[in-house]
């Protein structure tokens, strides 16, 4: 049997003084009014599977008001294995343990992937480029420890170059040295990002066509380097980045920031050849996001050989009946799913009869 989260236990975590629940290996529905802790439970599940939270909180923000320490614990079981994961919050810090041994958040990568779909994700198709970069890099960091390290190294190199650009000694000789460092980091990140993008995009196009009844959608990677980067070798990407930095040097010095590189790139969605951001209807844009999330699920399976934990936080209320039905059909494909809702009416009775329904009373 594939890995599944069998239980989650929270102490002084967010709104909970003490809370625990056993999860169904298939579908668990968390139902209740607003502000009763459903999203907090989803956040805890994401923490124990990825070491991250989509809310990007400071450690102290994870604690119940007035508490000095707290924790989120989860048990992951399957394939004859039992893995206990704990996130402890104390003294303004987070500490992770895996089977009782202290570890880094990055050490959780590869245990059990999870894919989150929340209302904020609906801005993916029409929001700023940072949303789309963040989406693919967050997924990549969960899929591969190497990807996570590369992303962090590149961000640090850009930050250091930016600090140098703001200093008094930002001359060409020193900048050339920084350019070499940043160009190598950019080429490494782009190599990883392009490989992952290609896998997701292929799945995305297929899924969108099924969701829309034959309508064609595509995703294109738009690099700030000034030309198509798909299919380029790492050495070629490094050369392109060095050339782009040289062209942008005067502007970089004036603006005191690095204006080209993977941190400035974008992903553009098109429907039947027209930009979805400007021409797509709200329904089409939401189908794009739904298809992209479904594609991440399938790529997760390709990477680790099993379906991930799917976390759906209050998205059923944001989808119309047709797209809710598509999501329900996808959930029934066999992955473990935890979904929050204020209204059980979004789900067919037959599905609920097979699910575990957990009611929150606040």
């Amino acid at each position: 049997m594939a890995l599944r989260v069998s239980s989650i236990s929270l102490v002084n975590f967010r709104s909970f003084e003490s809370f625990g629940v056993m999860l169904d290996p298939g579908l668990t529905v968390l139902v209740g009014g607003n502000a009763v802790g459903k999203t907090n439970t989803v956040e805890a599940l994401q923490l124990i599977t990825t070491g991250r939270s989509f809310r990007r909180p400071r450690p102290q923000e994870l604690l119940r008001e007035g508490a000095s320490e707290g924790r989120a614990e989860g048990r992951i079981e399957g394939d004859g294995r039992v893995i206990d994961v704990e996130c402890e919050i104390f003294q303004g810090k987070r500490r992770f343990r895996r089977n009782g041994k202290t570890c880094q958040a990055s050490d959780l990568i590869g245990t059990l992937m999870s894919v989150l779909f929340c209302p904020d994700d609906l801005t993916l198709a029409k929001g700023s480029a940072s949303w789309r970069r963040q989406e693919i890099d967050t997924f990549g960091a969960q899929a591969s420890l190497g990807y996570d390290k590369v992303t962090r190294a590149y961000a640090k190199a850009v930050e250091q170059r930016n600090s140098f650009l703001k200093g008094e000694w930002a001359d060409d000789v020193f900048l050339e040295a920084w350019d070499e460092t940043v160009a190598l980091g950019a080429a490494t990140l782009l190599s990883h990002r392009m490989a992952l993008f290609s896998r997701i995009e292929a799945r995305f196009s297929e899924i969108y066509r099924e969701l829309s009844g034959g309508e064609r959608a595509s995703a294109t990677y738009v690099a700030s380097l000034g030309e198509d980067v798909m299919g380029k070798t790492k050495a070629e990407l490094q050369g392109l980045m060095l050339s782009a930095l040289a062209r942008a040097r005067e502007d970089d010095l004036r603006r005191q920031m690095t204006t080209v590189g993977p941190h400035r790139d974008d992903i553009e969605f098109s429907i039947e050849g027209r930009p979805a951001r400007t021409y797509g209807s709200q329904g089409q844009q939401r189908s794009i996001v739904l298809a992209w999330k479904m594609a991440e699920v399938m790529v997760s399976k390709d990477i680790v050989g099993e379906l991930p934990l799917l976390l759906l936080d209050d998205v059923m209320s944001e989808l119309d009946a047709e797209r809710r039905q598509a999501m329900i059909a996808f959930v029934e494909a066999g992955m473990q799913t935890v979904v929050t809702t204020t209204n059980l009416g979004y789900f067919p009775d037959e599905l609920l009869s097979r699910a575990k329904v957990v009611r929150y009373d606040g």
Side-chain angles (χ1 to χ4, degrees), residues 38-320:
K38 303 186 304 296
T39 298
N40 296 339
T41 307
V42 167
E43 181 180 29
L45 286 166
Q46 191 184 40
L47 268 175
I48 66 165
T49 52
T50 71
R52 300 168 181 247
S53 163
F54 66 100
R55 288 166 159 170
R56 288 171 169 73
R58 297 190 300 271
Q60 189 64 31
E61 293 171 337
L62 294 170
L63 290 176
R64 187 172 65 90
E65 186 176 357
S68 59
E69 58 183 50
R71 65 182 183 274
E73 298 174 303
R75 171 161 288 189
I76 301 171
E77 298 182 81
D79 297 330
R81 293 185 288 166
V82 176
I83 304 167
D84 290 318
V85 181
E86 177 185 355
C87 175
E88 183 182 14
I89 307 105
F90 68 105
Q91 298 178 353
K93 296 183 292 185
R94 294 185 307 176
R95 179 168 61 193
F96 289 90
R97 291 190 181 91
R98 192 173 188 271
N99 286 337
K101 296 182 179 179
T102 301
C103 66
Q104 300 296 319
S106 58
D107 293 330
L108 303 182
I109 293 173
T111 303
L112 174 63
M113 293 186 69
S114 62
V115 172
L116 170 75
F117 187 8
C118 66
D120 284 349
D121 291 322
L122 292 170
T123 63
L124 187 65
K126 61 181 180 180
S128 67
S130 62
W131 278 97
R132 293 176 284 279
R133 290 193 302 269
Q134 179 179 297
E135 180 69 22
I136 192 168
D137 287 343
T138 300
F139 179 73
Q142 188 186 167
S144 165
L145 179 57
Y147 194 113
D148 186 48
K149 289 181 177 178
V150 165
T151 305
R152 292 175 183 274
Y154 174 71
K156 184 176 181 179
V158 171
E159 181 183 357
Q160 291 174 330
R161 184 178 187 269
N162 288 346
S163 295
F164 183 75
L165 287 167
K166 295 173 184 175
E168 298 179 3
W169 306 102
D171 59 28
D172 287 349
V173 174
F174 286 108
L175 266 178
E176 286 178 3
W178 276 113
D179 287 356
E180 290 286 347
T181 300
V182 171
L184 177 59
T188 307
L189 174 55
L190 280 171
S191 295
H192 282 71
R193 194 187 276 175
M194 291 301 92
L196 184 60
F197 172 81
S198 295
R199 297 177 77 163
I200 297 175
E201 199 281 330
R203 293 281 192 175
F204 161 79
S205 297
E206 295 173 3
I207 293 170
Y208 185 92
R209 189 161 52 247
E210 294 174 5
L211 285 176
S212 64
E215 193 172 59
R216 293 176 300 164
S218 63
T220 304
Y221 191 87
V222 182
S224 61
L225 301 189
E227 59 181 280
D228 184 13
V229 296
M230 298 299 294
K232 295 287 195 299
T233 66
K234 183 177 174 180
E236 290 171 332
L237 291 170
Q238 187 174 357
L240 288 174
M241 184 64 181
L242 282 170
S243 297
L245 288 170
R247 291 193 302 272
R249 180 167 298 177
E250 184 177 339
D251 194 32
D252 285 0
L253 285 166
R254 178 177 59 83
R255 298 176 62 182
Q256 298 183 323
M257 61 186 294
T258 304
T259 59
V260 295
H263 64 293
R264 307 281 289 187
D265 294 354
D266 197 1
I267 295 171
E268 291 185 354
F269 296 105
S270 298
I271 299 173
E272 297 292 349
R274 294 162 64 88
R277 186 175 182 179
T278 52
Y279 292 101
S281 67
Q282 186 178 69
Q284 287 173 320
Q285 291 173 347
R286 294 191 171 194
S287 289
I288 281 174
V289 180
L290 186 57
W292 189 267
K293 289 292 182 177
M294 289 179 173
E296 287 185 347
V297 168
M298 301 313 297
V299 171
S300 297
K301 183 180 181 182
D302 293 342
I303 291 172
V304 301
E306 58 186 42
L307 289 165
L309 170 66
L310 181 60
L311 303 171
L312 304 176
D313 185 34
D314 196 29
V315 293
M316 291 303 186
S317 62
E318 302 289 338
L319 301 175
D320 59 25

